[in-house]
Amino acid sequence: MALVAENRLFPVEGRSRDLARALYAQVRDLPILSPHGHTDPRWFAENEAFPDPAQLFVTPDHYVFRMLCSQGVPLAELGVPRVDGGATETDGRKIWRLFAENYHLLRGTPSRLWLDHSFQHLFGIDRRLSAETSDWHYDHIAESLAQPEFRPRALFERFNIEAIATTEAATDDLRWHRMIKDSGWQGRVLTAYRPDGVVDPEMAGFADNIALMGQQTGFDTGTWAGYLDAHRARRAFFIEHGATSSDHGHPNARTEDLPQAEAAALFAKALRGDCSADEADAFRGQMLTEMARMSLEDGLVLQIHPGSRRNHSDQVMGMFGRDKGFDIPGRTDYVAALRPLLNAVGMRPDLTVVLFTLDETAYARELAPLAGVWPCLRLGPAWWFHDSAEGMRRFREMTTETAGFYNTVGFNDDTRAFCSIPARHDVARRVDCSYLATLVATGRLAEDEAPEVAHELTYGLAKRAYRL
Amino acid sequence: MALVAENRLFPVEGRSRDLARALYAQVRDLPILSPHGHTDPRWFAENEAFPDPAQLFVTPDHYVFRMLCSQGVPLAELGVPRVDGGATETDGRKIWRLFAENYHLLRGTPSRLWLDHSFQHLFGIDRRLSAETSDWHYDHIAESLAQPEFRPRALFERFNIEAIATTEAATDDLRWHRMIKDSGWQGRVLTAYRPDGVVDPEMAGFADNIALMGQQTGFDTGTWAGYLDAHRARRAFFIEHGATSSDHGHPNARTEDLPQAEAAALFAKALRGDCSADEADAFRGQMLTEMARMSLEDGLVLQIHPGSRRNHSDQVMGMFGRDKGFDIPGRTDYVAALRPLLNAVGMRPDLTVVLFTLDETAYARELAPLAGVWPCLRLGPAWWFHDSAEGMRRFREMTTETAGFYNTVGFNDDTRAFCSIPARHDVARRVDCSYLATLVATGRLAEDEAPEVAHELTYGLAKRAYRL
Amino acid sequence: MALVAENRLFPVEGRSRDLARALYAQVRDLPILSPHGHTDPRWFAENEAFPDPAQLFVTPDHYVFRMLCSQGVPLAELGVPRVDGGATETDGRKIWRLFAENYHLLRGTPSRLWLDHSFQHLFGIDRRLSAETSDWHYDHIAESLAQPEFRPRALFERFNIEAIATTEAATDDLRWHRMIKDSGWQGRVLTAYRPDGVVDPEMAGFADNIALMGQQTGFDTGTWAGYLDAHRARRAFFIEHGATSSDHGHPNARTEDLPQAEAAALFAKALRGDCSADEADAFRGQMLTEMARMSLEDGLVLQIHPGSRRNHSDQVMGMFGRDKGFDIPGRTDYVAALRPLLNAVGMRPDLTVVLFTLDETAYARELAPLAGVWPCLRLGPAWWFHDSAEGMRRFREMTTETAGFYNTVGFNDDTRAFCSIPARHDVARRVDCSYLATLVATGRLAEDEAPEVAHELTYGLAKRAYRL
């Protein structure tokens, strides 16, 4: 049996379906551009075999383990590592069985589609995962992973990835990117500049990170000017390792454009650990504007990923740490928040700021109107919980009429689940082609214009926006 | 003529429609579980004939009289009783005629569908209600109501209700439930514990209600410990009368987990009537967490129905009192609000907290991400103004991808309009089957898995979540 | 080739499409009622030829120039006039070419549909605008504009406009409306009372405007009583010139019902320029309630257009002034905000207050529940960025089930782009008919009731709500 349907995600009605299929046929095999994500560059540097199926599909995938957790499965039984190094399940086969027994929980979710897509297309599996088939799947996948054609670089090539960006902290030594480059392998793996650890006074290790950045760059990061210079130097170092973008994961979209003396005083306070919550927020906001100004110098695309309320469970944070599925979106306002940055540099068409949201109410009300007029702004694709068929459809339906297609930037997979990358891009291509087909069938887009737009959504916009 | 179309609410396109019809055929005749609602237990206790058609369909139905009010029909002319006992219309036929003359106002609303469904399926009516047919309808329904097969218990059985929950105040004597039990009738009518009157310092009679609770239980409700014990005793009393859930209708979703000494001090202040608005809000929030802790002891499912701004018109409140259609939803935030309760008890899989919302923006942004990870949380169905075809569709489209199906709890009719119960459950079954059919037709759910999910949405999830 | 598809905006599926086409056939040729908009009454007074194509389609259309701006096209190159009278492009052909080269940016937007509709139906154009066809289009349109049948009055008649309202400041002398009336031409061009300049203490020239209103009316506008009397007089003057409505464009929906002495003190403070931001906001809110009270005297329909954060770019505001595409919607709350006005006069069925929103989250949560119960309230159509196929669909889907059809008021084009008026009304008629067709096809509206509703949505509701 086929795990995934041939015509999945296309419109059901005949003519729209035919239009969608025809558009999809033209973009299905285009190379993958993955300009924002969280794959581990070490995979491509060392090119070692992936460990067992559970380590590949369950333990690191927060979409999967959060759903099982929601129905009472303890994270420790899924092998999620503990902060204190305490005991968690290590038997991949047992973890896999727990996953298989609960596979029905994923019905109707994008994870189910990504997993089935991987099982079928990557591993050639033709039976559904369940308690009964658990061991069979486990063995089959484990055997495959032992083969050379399932090593990271082989998969990279098989996935037809033209370029992929990873994300590293500002103080990362980028050793894996260097190793990839030195290896002579031609796969294009870029880094991206993620300075949260040195711009967020509320991050553990803030001052130490900044001191390290001083050592790395030779600038006196105890001063505001030296700190900014150190950013410039680190950005240049990242650009040497392929970076075309920076990324910023703040709790909100606040920006500031303080007089430099005030900014310097705030920085000093932050370094001393004396910031109030509001001052820490203001400092993060100031740094977005500073980053935008540096982007005008060095050309990095600035990405803003705001709006996640992190670590909602104290118990899970204490036992398992960050990124364990307990990050919950909240309301996010953009209009007043972005005004300082935009009034500082927003009319510059040589600047690109890509906005993301976890709050879909902002699409039609704020983000599309903003991106539809400010020259620097572009809209990032449907993100995280909205990286799904419905999420992508809502994104297009709520942004296109005001922002058009050309203020968007194509798809991001934003994932650390390497095997899901082809599946995710495939979903995006199908949903976008279906959206375009619906526009054609309802007279909102000319049939001869649709293929060009489909190509842009799949390839052209990402290539240009991210300067790949 | 048929008042309701045979294939109503199914997808229009052929294959999806066929899939939906097939799924619906499998769940159409399943028994009704109604785990949350507001029918009057006295009906089933006394089993007397319902009064005239206007008293059954117009005067008590806030959906109906609010719409007529919005177009200038005075509530008094619809027979809505006045607080001061002043004159309102009592002639059922006249009220019915006013209703009939304005029946077109309900076009496109769920009320129209529920009414037509009742007229056709319950009363066998085959002509549309209008000024011309007003008397005919009135007479026809009045004659039916006089028949024994239209008595409450007969209808209960005809509706194929397996269990129905009513809602009583914490201090209610539950006499009707006792009378039902004592009667030997086998219909399963449960109560539910609704302590708003003894947990909300802003409710009229708060201190008196608590004193009464003291008398009822023998605990000293003048102390925090005695007050909590009295709750435990009343909950036990409700459980004796079938209760499997408590219900909480707060203006927002705020919870608190204060140190017990602080909670006790706040309680003392509330008893004295000295709480500020914020303190009253904090006390309500504290009590949600206390109720959750008691649920861990006694197993009651905790339902939170937040977000209604009650009694928007002073004039209507003054003349006609509460629940007269002037309750308007407002923005409701869940993420920070629920954190105290969740961090106290949220990882316990033996606790069930069912969340409702009148603010649909919370579905995809907050509620699905919360329910998709916290073991205790489940999502209640589309509620009140969203108990409609579009409302249910939006609920599924905005929650399924992140929370799946198994973190939802099936349908609630939440109604005092007894005759609408089969119609409402039928709408939910049709909309859910249509949603599943669309998932199948677009390759997001396997065809062989859909019937199992349809059964769960109709019956299994409610049965298990509400411990029926 | 046809620029616009014959069956555009209809459902794709066969039966729904047939139903929609049949409904549309019955309303397509109904006269246009345009009860709220921004066309220039001078056009109809002087009846001179429109200037060149760029002056007609590009330079004054903020939808168009904001999209080009968003992709880096400077406003000055599009001929947008500068506040300081500095140089901007004046060569219509050059502006047109820049527009044509960037026409692809409008793909998928309502502007593209409106423009193609005008090109095809008004100018008989059969080829797509592009860099290649730019000069051909320009010449063709320019030649047409020189013909008598393209003069404003001829177009007015060709568009089958039964009545159109313009919008004038409270202190406007309405000379063009007088001139139209004196001319003997039968076209019905009404004014509307827009007192923002004399009710908003934060508007430049507030005190001067009020002084002028004093001179115009003979009342002492230095006092609260005289100021209110002056409003009464100006409203009467506007009514003489056809006005049936007032219009209020506030940043939010706040209303107040202060004791008159407090209101008078606030007015005095506002006149002195001493109001804080919150006091200015309160004064605007108070004036909404005063306007509503005057509406009870003189019958003007009160329109509230809240929620735009104006002039987001300081640089554009400084160089080009207001209304240059940098007005961005923000979150707008209605429930608490409208309570003072509603509790003052909201139960009066002889009052009509039409509510608009730029925040679609309010549709189902706040606006439909409010309009579905308060006798004075009606919902204005999807507005501004939501004047689009998706915007209109969302409006119906999110309001109908709670507010029904009869608490809505038909379509507003709200435009200064005269040629787009038939296109915009055509979009509304098609979308509404498609919505109704879908209701019929899914058994939510009887087939024999749909034509009556379609007629109401197109004509009847606007006629009655705006008292035309």
Side-chain angles (χ1 to χ4, degrees):
Chain A
M1 73 184 276
L3 297 182
V4 290
E6 189 193 336
N7 290 313
R8 63 191 177 281
L9 306 179
F10 292 146
V12 180
E13 188 276 334
R15 169 155 156 74
S16 310
R17 173 168 288 219
D18 291 345
L19 286 163
R21 282 168 57 106
L23 288 170
Y24 173 69
Q26 296 183 43
V27 300
R28 183 184 47 207
D29 299 326
L30 286 174
I32 285 177
L33 292 172
S34 174
H36 176 73
H38 297 275
T39 53
D40 189 342
R42 184 172 181 173
W43 297 335
F44 310 112
E46 300 193 322
N47 199 33
E48 295 194 347
F50 287 105
D52 71 62
Q55 290 297 320
L56 190 60
F57 282 114
V58 183
T59 304
D61 188 335
H62 57 85
Y63 290 91
V64 168
F65 63 65
R66 80 192 307 276
M67 181 64 93
L68 270 63
C69 176
S70 79
Q71 291 278 319
V73 178
L75 292 181
E77 293 187 23
L78 294 167
V80 177
R82 286 174 56 170
V83 167
D84 63 2
T88 63
E89 186 54 63
T90 55
D91 181 342
R93 186 176 297 272
K94 267 179 82 173
I95 294 169
W96 189 260
R97 204 171 296 141
L98 198 51
F99 171 51
E101 284 164 1
N102 287 285
Y103 199 55
H104 64 284
L105 298 179
L106 295 172
R107 284 173 179 162
T109 69
S111 293
R112 167 69 183 266
L113 198 54
W114 302 332
L115 288 161
D116 280 355
H117 184 280
S118 296
F119 293 163
Q120 176 172 325
H121 286 287
L122 194 51
F123 294 98
I125 290 174
D126 60 358
R127 61 200 74 178
R128 187 176 300 150
L129 183 61
S130 68
E132 290 69 40
T133 63
S134 176
D135 283 346
W136 184 89
H137 275 78
Y138 189 84
D139 291 333
H140 182 92
I141 295 171
E143 280 163 35
S144 298
L145 292 179
Q147 308 303 315
E149 62 266 34
F150 285 86
R151 296 268 165 125
R153 291 184 183 177
L155 289 178
F156 184 103
E157 286 154 13
R158 180 169 166 193
F159 293 168
N160 195 19
I161 295 174
E162 180 176 316
I164 195 168
T166 65
T167 306
E168 274 75 42
T171 48
D172 194 280
D173 61 13
L174 305 183
R175 76 175 67 179
W176 307 115
H177 288 84
R178 180 175 316 269
M179 189 168 156
I180 294 166
K181 203 171 182 186
D182 292 348
S183 76
W185 178 58
Q186 293 302 311
R188 197 164 163 219
V189 181
L190 321 171
T191 184
Y193 188 66
R194 176 88 171 214
D196 293 0
V198 291
V199 307
D200 180 356
E202 296 180 322
M203 274 277 208
F206 173 71
D208 291 344
N209 294 336
I210 289 176
L212 173 57
M213 193 164 67
Q215 293 161 24
Q216 290 174 323
T217 61
F219 289 103
D220 177 5
T221 53
T223 70
W224 174 240
Y227 168 71
L228 294 182
D229 279 337
H231 271 291
R232 285 188 191 93
R234 294 304 294 168
R235 292 166 65 103
F237 179 69
F238 273 63
I239 291 169
E240 275 171 44
H241 291 76
T244 70
S245 67
S246 69
D247 181 37
H248 307 271
H250 294 190
N252 54 52
R254 177 171 179 178
T255 65
E256 292 290 348
D257 186 24
L258 304 171
Q260 287 293 304
E262 274 184 47
L266 192 57
F267 174 65
K269 209 167 180 183
L271 262 192
R272 291 196 307 270
D274 284 349
C275 277
S276 68
D278 183 65
E279 288 168 333
D281 207 45
F283 185 73
R284 288 188 295 262
Q286 178 66 24
M287 286 312 297
L288 283 180
T289 305
E290 298 298 343
M291 291 290 112
R293 276 195 270 264
M294 290 185 200
S295 285
L296 284 170
E297 299 165 7
D298 64 21
L300 288 187
V301 172
L302 189 151
Q303 299 173 95
I304 305 179
H305 282 94
S308 183
R309 294 5 175 196
R310 304 270 173 179
N311 312 313
H312 203 248
S313 164
D314 295 338
Q315 183 185 326
V316 171
M317 177 63 180
M319 188 169 296
F320 300 98
R322 301 168 58 87
D323 300 325
K324 291 302 171 291
F326 281 82
D327 302 326
I328 312 290
R331 253 183 24 230
T332 307
D333 296 316
Y334 292 85
V335 181
L338 292 176
R339 212 167 179 276
L341 183 153
L342 291 172
N343 269 300
V345 293
M347 293 302 290
R348 291 281 298 263
D350 51 339
L351 175 66
T352 301
V353 176
V354 185
L355 297 175
F356 293 81
T357 196
L358 292 169
D359 180 355
E360 294 179 311
T361 68
Y363 282 151
R365 185 182 60 213
E366 303 178 25
L367 291 173
L370 285 167
V373 73
W374 281 101
C376 74
L377 292 181
R378 296 292 181 273
L379 299 183
W383 174 40
W384 199 336
F385 296 110
H386 309 307
D387 178 5
S388 66
E390 297 291 340
M392 292 173 190
R393 179 180 61 78
R394 288 197 290 266
F395 172 77
R396 291 290 174 210
E397 288 182 359
M398 296 201 282
T399 64
T400 305
E401 293 178 322
T402 294
F405 293 113
Y406 294 86
N407 288 307
T408 64
V409 302
F411 181 64
N412 287 180
D413 54 67
D414 196 13
T415 191
R416 66 197 77 231
F418 189 45
C419 291
S420 75
I421 288 179
R424 289 172 191 246
H425 284 262
D426 187 66
V427 169
R429 292 171 188 196
R430 287 170 182 269
V431 174
D432 280 340
C433 288
S434 297
Y435 176 69
L436 296 177
T438 301
L439 292 192
V440 171
T442 54
R444 290 182 278 172
L445 182 67
E447 192 167 347
D448 67 300
E449 293 176 289
E452 187 185 321
V453 177
H455 193 278
E456 286 285 47
L457 299 186
T458 307
Y459 186 83
L461 289 168
K463 182 100 175 172
R464 292 199 305 280
Y466 282 96
R467 308 179 183 189
L468 294 172
Chain B
M1 71 184 277
L3 296 182
V4 289
E6 188 192 335
N7 289 314
R8 62 191 178 282
L9 305 180
F10 292 147
V12 181
E13 189 277 332
R15 168 153 159 74
S16 311
R17 173 169 289 218
D18 291 344
L19 287 163
R21 283 167 58 106
L23 289 170
Y24 174 70
Q26 297 185 43
V27 300
R28 183 184 47 208
D29 299 325
L30 287 174
I32 286 177
L33 293 172
S34 174
H36 176 73
H38 298 275
T39 53
D40 189 343
R42 185 173 182 171
W43 297 336
F44 309 113
E46 300 194 321
N47 199 31
E48 295 194 348
F50 287 105
D52 72 61
Q55 291 296 319
L56 190 61
F57 282 114
V58 182
T59 304
D61 188 336
H62 56 84
Y63 289 92
V64 168
F65 63 65
R66 78 191 310 277
M67 181 64 93
L68 271 63
C69 175
S70 79
Q71 291 278 318
V73 178
L75 293 180
E77 293 187 24
L78 294 168
V80 177
R82 286 173 56 170
V83 167
D84 63 2
T88 63
E89 187 55 61
T90 55
D91 180 341
R93 188 176 296 273
K94 268 179 81 174
I95 294 169
W96 189 260
R97 204 171 296 141
L98 199 51
F99 170 53
E101 285 164 1
N102 287 285
Y103 199 55
H104 65 284
L105 298 179
L106 295 172
R107 285 173 178 161
T109 70
S111 294
R112 167 69 184 265
L113 199 53
W114 303 331
L115 288 161
D116 280 355
H117 185 280
S118 297
F119 293 162
Q120 175 171 325
H121 285 287
L122 195 49
F123 294 98
I125 290 174
D126 61 357
R127 59 200 76 177
R128 187 177 299 151
L129 183 62
S130 68
E132 290 70 39
T133 63
S134 175
D135 284 346
W136 183 90
H137 274 77
Y138 189 84
D139 292 333
H140 182 93
I141 295 171
E143 281 163 34
S144 299
L145 292 179
Q147 308 304 316
E149 61 265 36
F150 286 85
R151 297 264 166 131
R153 291 184 184 176
L155 290 178
F156 183 104
E157 287 154 12
R158 178 166 168 196
F159 293 168
N160 194 19
I161 294 173
E162 180 176 315
I164 195 168
T166 66
T167 306
E168 272 76 40
T171 49
D172 194 280
D173 61 13
L174 305 183
R175 76 174 68 177
W176 306 115
H177 288 85
R178 180 175 315 270
M179 188 168 157
I180 294 167
K181 206 172 180 184
D182 292 347
S183 76
W185 177 59
Q186 294 301 309
R188 196 162 164 221
V189 181
L190 321 170
T191 183
Y193 188 65
R194 176 87 170 215
D196 293 0
V198 291
V199 307
D200 181 356
E202 295 180 323
M203 274 277 205
F206 173 70
D208 292 344
N209 293 337
I210 288 175
L212 173 58
M213 194 163 68
Q215 293 160 25
Q216 290 174 323
T217 61
F219 289 104
D220 176 6
T221 52
T223 70
W224 172 241
Y227 167 72
L228 293 182
D229 280 336
H231 271 291
R232 284 188 190 93
R234 293 304 293 168
R235 292 167 64 102
F237 179 69
F238 273 63
I239 290 169
E240 275 172 43
H241 290 76
T244 70
S245 67
S246 69
D247 182 36
H248 308 271
H250 295 191
N252 55 53
R254 178 171 178 178
T255 66
E256 292 290 348
D257 186 23
L258 303 171
Q260 287 293 304
E262 275 184 46
L266 192 56
F267 173 65
K269 208 167 182 184
L271 262 193
R272 291 196 308 270
D274 285 349
C275 277
S276 68
D278 184 64
E279 288 168 334
D281 206 45
F283 185 74
R284 289 188 294 262
Q286 178 66 26
M287 286 311 298
L288 283 179
T289 304
E290 299 298 343
M291 291 290 112
R293 275 194 271 263
M294 291 184 200
S295 285
L296 283 171
E297 301 165 6
D298 64 21
L300 287 187
V301 172
L302 188 150
Q303 301 173 94
I304 305 179
H305 281 94
S308 183
R309 294 6 175 196
R310 304 269 173 181
N311 312 312
H312 203 247
S313 164
D314 295 338
Q315 184 185 323
V316 171
M317 177 63 179
M319 189 169 296
F320 300 98
R322 300 169 59 86
D323 300 325
K324 291 303 170 292
F326 281 82
D327 303 327
I328 313 288
R331 252 181 27 227
T332 308
D333 296 316
Y334 292 85
V335 182
L338 292 175
R339 211 166 180 276
L341 184 153
L342 291 171
N343 268 302
V345 293
M347 293 303 290
R348 291 282 297 263
D350 51 338
L351 173 67
T352 302
V353 175
V354 186
L355 297 176
F356 293 81
T357 196
L358 293 170
D359 180 355
E360 294 179 309
T361 69
Y363 282 150
R365 186 182 59 213
E366 303 178 23
L367 291 173
L370 285 166
V373 74
W374 281 101
C376 73
L377 291 182
R378 296 292 181 273
L379 299 184
W383 175 41
W384 200 337
F385 296 110
H386 308 307
D387 178 5
S388 66
E390 297 291 341
M392 292 172 191
R393 179 179 61 77
R394 287 196 290 265
F395 172 77
R396 291 287 175 212
E397 289 182 357
M398 295 200 283
T399 65
T400 305
E401 294 178 322
T402 294
F405 293 112
Y406 294 85
N407 287 307
T408 64
V409 302
F411 181 64
N412 287 180
D413 55 67
D414 195 12
T415 191
R416 65 198 77 230
F418 189 45
C419 291
S420 74
I421 288 178
R424 288 172 193 247
H425 285 261
D426 186 66
V427 169
R429 291 171 188 197
R430 287 170 182 268
V431 173
D432 281 340
C433 288
S434 297
Y435 176 69
L436 296 177
T438 300
L439 291 192
V440 171
T442 54
R444 289 181 280 172
L445 183 68
E447 192 166 349
D448 68 299
E449 293 177 287
E452 187 184 320
V453 178
H455 192 278
E456 286 285 47
L457 300 186
T458 307
Y459 186 84
L461 289 168
K463 183 100 173 169
R464 293 198 305 278
Y466 282 97
R467 308 178 182 190
L468 294 173
Chain C
M1 71 184 279
L3 297 182
V4 289
E6 189 192 334
N7 289 314
R8 62 191 177 280
L9 305 179
F10 292 146
V12 180
E13 188 277 333
R15 169 154 157 73
S16 311
R17 173 169 287 220
D18 290 345
L19 287 162
R21 282 168 58 108
L23 289 170
Y24 173 69
Q26 297 184 44
V27 300
R28 183 184 47 207
D29 299 325
L30 287 173
I32 285 176
L33 292 172
S34 174
H36 176 73
H38 298 275
T39 53
D40 189 343
R42 185 173 182 173
W43 296 336
F44 310 112
E46 300 194 322
N47 199 34
E48 295 193 347
F50 286 106
D52 71 62
Q55 290 297 319
L56 190 61
F57 282 115
V58 183
T59 304
D61 188 336
H62 56 84
Y63 289 91
V64 168
F65 63 65
R66 81 192 306 277
M67 182 64 94
L68 272 63
C69 176
S70 79
Q71 291 277 319
V73 178
L75 293 181
E77 293 187 22
L78 294 167
V80 177
R82 286 173 55 169
V83 167
D84 63 2
T88 63
E89 186 55 62
T90 55
D91 180 342
R93 186 176 297 271
K94 267 178 81 173
I95 294 169
W96 189 260
R97 205 170 294 142
L98 199 51
F99 171 51
E101 285 164 2
N102 286 286
Y103 199 57
H104 65 283
L105 298 179
L106 296 171
R107 285 172 178 161
T109 69
S111 293
R112 167 69 184 266
L113 199 53
W114 302 333
L115 287 161
D116 279 356
H117 184 281
S118 297
F119 293 162
Q120 176 172 325
H121 286 286
L122 195 50
F123 295 98
I125 290 175
D126 61 358
R127 60 199 77 176
R128 187 176 299 150
L129 183 61
S130 68
E132 289 70 39
T133 62
S134 175
D135 283 345
W136 183 90
H137 274 77
Y138 188 84
D139 292 334
H140 182 92
I141 295 170
E143 279 164 34
S144 299
L145 294 179
Q147 308 303 315
E149 62 265 34
F150 285 87
R151 296 267 166 125
R153 292 183 183 177
L155 289 178
F156 184 104
E157 286 154 12
R158 178 168 167 192
F159 293 168
N160 195 19
I161 295 173
E162 180 176 314
I164 195 167
T166 65
T167 306
E168 273 75 41
T171 49
D172 193 281
D173 61 14
L174 305 183
R175 75 174 69 177
W176 307 114
H177 288 85
R178 181 174 314 269
M179 190 167 155
I180 294 167
K181 204 173 183 183
D182 292 348
S183 77
W185 178 58
Q186 292 301 310
R188 195 162 165 223
V189 181
L190 321 170
T191 183
Y193 189 63
R194 175 88 172 215
D196 293 0
V198 292
V199 307
D200 181 356
E202 296 180 322
M203 274 275 206
F206 173 69
D208 291 344
N209 293 337
I210 289 176
L212 172 57
M213 194 164 67
Q215 293 161 26
Q216 290 175 324
T217 62
F219 289 105
D220 176 5
T221 53
T223 71
W224 173 240
Y227 167 71
L228 293 181
D229 280 336
H231 271 290
R232 285 187 190 92
R234 292 306 293 169
R235 291 167 64 102
F237 179 69
F238 272 63
I239 291 169
E240 275 172 45
H241 291 77
T244 71
S245 67
S246 69
D247 181 37
H248 308 271
H250 294 190
N252 55 54
R254 179 171 177 178
T255 66
E256 292 290 347
D257 186 23
L258 304 171
Q260 287 293 304
E262 274 184 46
L266 192 55
F267 173 65
K269 209 166 182 183
L271 262 193
R272 290 197 308 270
D274 284 350
C275 277
S276 69
D278 183 63
E279 287 169 333
D281 206 44
F283 185 74
R284 287 188 296 262
Q286 178 66 24
M287 287 310 298
L288 283 179
T289 304
E290 299 299 342
M291 291 290 111
R293 276 195 270 264
M294 290 185 200
S295 284
L296 283 170
E297 301 165 6
D298 64 21
L300 288 187
V301 172
L302 189 150
Q303 301 173 96
I304 305 179
H305 281 95
S308 183
R309 297 359 177 199
R310 304 269 172 181
N311 311 313
H312 203 248
S313 164
D314 295 338
Q315 182 185 327
V316 171
M317 177 62 179
M319 188 169 294
F320 300 99
R322 299 170 60 85
D323 299 324
K324 291 303 171 291
F326 280 83
D327 303 327
I328 312 289
R331 252 184 23 229
T332 307
D333 296 317
Y334 292 85
V335 181
L338 292 175
R339 211 165 180 277
L341 183 153
L342 291 171
N343 269 302
V345 293
M347 294 302 290
R348 291 282 297 264
D350 51 338
L351 174 66
T352 302
V353 175
V354 186
L355 297 176
F356 294 81
T357 196
L358 293 170
D359 180 355
E360 294 178 310
T361 69
Y363 282 150
R365 186 182 59 213
E366 304 179 23
L367 291 173
L370 285 166
V373 74
W374 282 100
C376 74
L377 292 182
R378 296 292 182 272
L379 299 183
W383 175 40
W384 199 338
F385 295 110
H386 309 307
D387 177 5
S388 65
E390 296 292 342
M392 292 173 191
R393 178 180 62 77
R394 287 196 290 265
F395 173 77
R396 291 288 173 211
E397 288 183 358
M398 295 200 282
T399 65
T400 305
E401 293 178 322
T402 294
F405 293 112
Y406 294 85
N407 287 307
T408 63
V409 301
F411 181 64
N412 287 180
D413 55 67
D414 195 12
T415 191
R416 65 198 77 231
F418 188 45
C419 292
S420 75
I421 288 178
R424 287 171 193 247
H425 284 261
D426 186 66
V427 168
R429 291 171 188 197
R430 287 170 181 268
V431 173
D432 280 341
C433 289
S434 296
Y435 176 69
L436 296 176
T438 300
L439 291 191
V440 171
T442 54
R444 289 182 279 172
L445 182 68
E447 192 167 350
D448 68 300
E449 293 178 288
E452 188 184 320
V453 178
H455 193 278
E456 286 286 46
L457 300 185
T458 307
Y459 185 84
L461 289 167
K463 183 100 174 171
R464 293 199 305 278
Y466 282 97
R467 309 178 181 190
L468 294 172

